[in-house]
Amino acid sequence: MQANSNILVSVLFFHLTIFSLCPVETLEPVTSGIAVVTALAASGLFAGYELLKCRMYECCDDRWLIANLTGMKTALESRLHGQHLVVDTTVRAITGHIKNKNPQKALVLAFHGWTGGGKNFVSKIIAEHLYHKGMESQYVHLFIATLHFPHASKVETYKDQLRTWIKGNTTKCPRTLFIFDEMDKMPEGLIDAIKPFLDVYPEINGVNYRKTTFIFLSNTGGNAITEHTIAHWEKGKRREEIKHKDMENVIILSAYNEHGGLWHSNIIEMNLISSFVPFLPLERKHVKMCIRDDLRAKNISDEKITEEILSKVADELQYHPPSKQLFSKSGCKRVSQKVDLILEDFDND
Ligand SMILES: *[C@@H]1O[C@H](CO)[C@@H](O)[C@H](O)[C@H]1NC(C)=O
Ligand SMILES: *[C@@H]1O[C@H](CO)[C@@H](O)[C@H](O)[C@H]1NC(C)=O
Ligand SMILES: *[C@@H]1O[C@H](CO)[C@@H](O)[C@H](O)[C@H]1NC(C)=O
């Protein structure tokens, strides 16, 4: 389809050029015939080259933009621990957006919760199931506040830069994924610069942003989420009974009121966020699951992964609140380093 239209366009263009360069009567049929054949050959070569190129190098086409949605769900269910509110919300939102040929606006997900709860991990799993090259894809962009936008005084420069980047990259491929990490450390006001891209405009200066996805990660709301989870626990209820709706309200309130990137931001005021995704603080038992995953990834056989090892690594982390020791302060974040330390001890014994 693509190849055929390439050929047609090239032939047409070649004809137009010839006839505008030479008066029609001076052009002999033979020359004209040769020209057409040459044009056909050239455009055929060009189309072939394009096809071959996209076979080897990443292009904005179905070969590289995969939509492994069932795989995404399975991966989240098996690899993410203790986050029942995350899987459903994200998979449903992404599936709805991708399957819609004509989405009304860009998909905007806001991930909230303490560090180590899996916000980056989930972003990575999403990228891996939407892009053949995952996070390495040229259509996936990760912005880290303290790395890309460190100085509050340069916010005006950053605004221009960000607009240019988003416009340029979306022009290159409409189905681009933008991930903003450390939203709570973004210079205030910066995020409002991209507001038009998240809104329901059909297009802005000829570029359509409705197929893009934005994911905002932040620790904002983490404390409120934890308090709510503790209160729930104190009532003797199961963690899995925590409802998305309750947590969503908790997040919206704190995302708006706590200082940080979304603070008093137009984005919240204008309802531009498609979905708030709460990441609950992780309990010791979830941390142990992460430890098990990490040991397996390091080729430790299952019979060697004893309860003793799991406890030993879990003891290396700090828990909150001090009196109850319910939740890991750093979630599963430092698990891999702690595992390395313990393995070293075992090797030395
Ligand atoms: C889809 O994702 C699953 C889970 O990650 C993976 O096992 C499977 O190979 C993927 N399928 C394709 C076609 O990439
Ligand atoms: C795409 O975004 C990157 C930053 O992730 C930027 O360096 C690059 O210039 C952008 N590309 C275009 C074409 O704007
Ligand atoms: C684990 O073992 C597999 C094959 O047994 C090997 O390919 C892989 O590199 C190993 N990984 C690590 C981290 O040692």
Side-chain angles (χ1 to χ4, degrees), residues 66 68-76 79 125 128-129 132:
I66 53 176
N68 187 354
L69 298 167
T70 38
M72 182 189 297
K73 187 152 193 276
T74 319
L76 286 172
R79 290 161 63 194
I125 291 180
E128 279 167 1
H129 291 88
H132 184 75

Side-chain angles (χ1 to χ4, degrees), residues 6-214:
N6 265 342
I7 295 178
L8 267 178
V9 169
S10 309
V11 170
L12 252 173
F13 185 70
F14 205 88
H15 265 103
L16 283 175
T17 325
I18 290 185
F19 286 117
S20 55
L21 285 181
C22 336
V24 177
E25 57 272 21
T26 66
L27 204 67
E28 294 165 40
V30 178
T31 329
S32 164
I34 290 173
V36 168
V37 169
T38 320
L40 263 175
S43 60
L45 269 177
F46 178 73
Y49 164 76
E50 283 282 295
L51 267 180
L52 205 61
K53 196 186 84 185
C54 289
R55 205 175 278 265
M56 294 169 67
Y57 302 102
E58 192 180 32
C59 286
C60 182
D61 66 17
D62 287 350
R63 202 191 311 259
W64 300 91
L65 306 183
I66 53 176
N68 187 354
L69 298 167
T70 38
M72 182 189 297
K73 187 152 193 276
T74 319
L76 286 172
E77 277 165 353
S78 60
R79 290 161 63 194
L80 181 72
H81 303 304
Q83 303 293 9
H84 69 283
L85 296 176
V86 172
V87 183
D88 267 5
T89 328
T90 40
V91 172
R92 202 154 2 107
I94 291 173
T95 307
H97 191 247
I98 288 235
K99 290 213 167 144
N100 189 345
K101 294 253 178 307
N102 244 321
Q104 220 204 350
K105 68 185 272 320
L107 178 68
V108 187
L109 301 174
F111 289 3
H112 290 264
W114 271 1
T115 41
K119 299 188 297 290
N120 277 292
F121 188 58
V122 170
S123 312
K124 186 164 162 270
I125 291 180
I126 292 173
E128 279 167 1
H129 291 88
L130 294 185
Y131 301 87
H132 184 75
K133 295 181 79 177
M135 293 297 289
E136 303 301 313
S137 166
Q138 57 173 316
Y139 309 124
V140 176
H141 299 271
L142 171 65
F143 301 105
I144 303 170
T146 51
L147 189 70
H148 294 93
F149 316 110
H151 307 295
S153 58
K154 287 199 189 155
V155 66
E156 291 307 317
T157 318
Y158 295 150
K159 278 184 182 176
D160 286 342
Q161 218 174 36
L162 203 50
R163 280 194 208 106
T164 315
W165 285 349
I166 292 175
K167 176 162 189 259
N169 283 296
T170 308
T171 308
K172 235 168 62 181
C173 186
R175 227 181 88 189
T176 297
L177 170 62
F178 299 99
I179 304 169
F180 291 82
D181 195 6
E182 303 182 337
M183 275 299 290
D184 38 319
K185 301 196 182 71
M186 280 275 197
E188 268 162 30
L190 175 54
I191 218 63
D192 282 338
I194 60 174
K195 199 187 103 210
F197 306 130
L198 314 181
D199 216 333
V200 289
Y201 305 120
E203 49 182 47
I204 305 165
N205 296 333
V207 185
N208 180 336
Y209 294 91
R210 295 169 155 200
K211 288 198 167 139
T212 55
T213 298
F214 289 79

Side-chain angles (χ1 to χ4, degrees), residues 111-340:
F111 289 3
H112 290 264
W114 271 1
T115 41
K119 299 188 297 290
N120 277 292
F121 188 58
V122 170
S123 312
K124 186 164 162 270
I125 291 180
I126 292 173
E128 279 167 1
H129 291 88
L130 294 185
Y131 301 87
H132 184 75
K133 295 181 79 177
M135 293 297 289
E136 303 301 313
S137 166
Q138 57 173 316
Y139 309 124
V140 176
H141 299 271
L142 171 65
F143 301 105
I144 303 170
T146 51
L147 189 70
H148 294 93
F149 316 110
H151 307 295
S153 58
K154 287 199 189 155
V155 66
E156 291 307 317
T157 318
Y158 295 150
K159 278 184 182 176
D160 286 342
Q161 218 174 36
L162 203 50
R163 280 194 208 106
T164 315
W165 285 349
I166 292 175
K167 176 162 189 259
N169 283 296
T170 308
T171 308
K172 235 168 62 181
C173 186
R175 227 181 88 189
T176 297
L177 170 62
F178 299 99
I179 304 169
F180 291 82
D181 195 6
E182 303 182 337
M183 275 299 290
D184 38 319
K185 301 196 182 71
M186 280 275 197
E188 268 162 30
L190 175 54
I191 218 63
D192 282 338
I194 60 174
K195 199 187 103 210
F197 306 130
L198 314 181
D199 216 333
V200 289
Y201 305 120
E203 49 182 47
I204 305 165
N205 296 333
V207 185
N208 180 336
Y209 294 91
R210 295 169 155 200
K211 288 198 167 139
T212 55
T213 298
F214 289 79
I215 304 181
F216 299 134
L217 319 187
S218 73
N219 295 345
T220 332
N223 290 338
I225 291 175
T226 300
E227 274 160 32
H228 195 89
T229 312
I230 292 178
H232 185 86
W233 177 85
E234 280 172 340
K235 285 185 204 145
K237 291 203 226 163
R238 286 174 59 238
R239 178 185 177 95
E240 288 72 24
E241 287 171 37
I242 297 177
K243 298 272 187 299
H244 180 259
K245 202 155 162 275
D246 302 336
M247 278 302 180
E248 191 170 43
N249 291 333
V250 168
I251 295 176
I252 292 176
L253 266 179
S254 48
Y256 187 73
N257 290 319
E258 285 176 31
H259 277 259
L262 286 181
W263 190 64
H264 282 218
S265 141
N266 273 322
I267 289 181
I268 295 189
E269 281 168 23
M270 314 276 298
N271 284 321
L272 294 182
I273 296 192
S274 323
S275 195
F276 285 93
V277 185
F279 284 70
L280 305 183
L282 294 182
E283 296 171 18
R284 202 179 150 90
K285 71 173 182 209
H286 304 123
V287 172
K288 283 187 179 171
M289 293 178 186
C290 295
I291 298 171
R292 184 185 295 278
D293 289 350
D294 193 65
L295 285 162
R296 281 188 179 147
K298 287 171 179 156
N299 277 350
I300 309 294
S301 61
D302 274 1
E303 60 264 29
K304 286 201 190 135
I305 304 181
T306 58
E307 186 54 36
E308 191 201 343
I309 287 209
L310 297 181
S311 291
K312 211 163 174 170
V313 182
D315 286 345
E316 294 282 315
L317 299 167
Q318 293 185 331
Y319 297 86
H320 180 88
S323 57
K324 304 193 185 77
Q325 303 272 307
L326 276 181
F327 303 118
S328 161
K329 270 187 171 172
S330 52
C332 282
K333 193 165 191 172
R334 281 184 248 291
V335 158
S336 191
Q337 290 146 273
K338 301 293 182 194
V339 165
D340 289 343

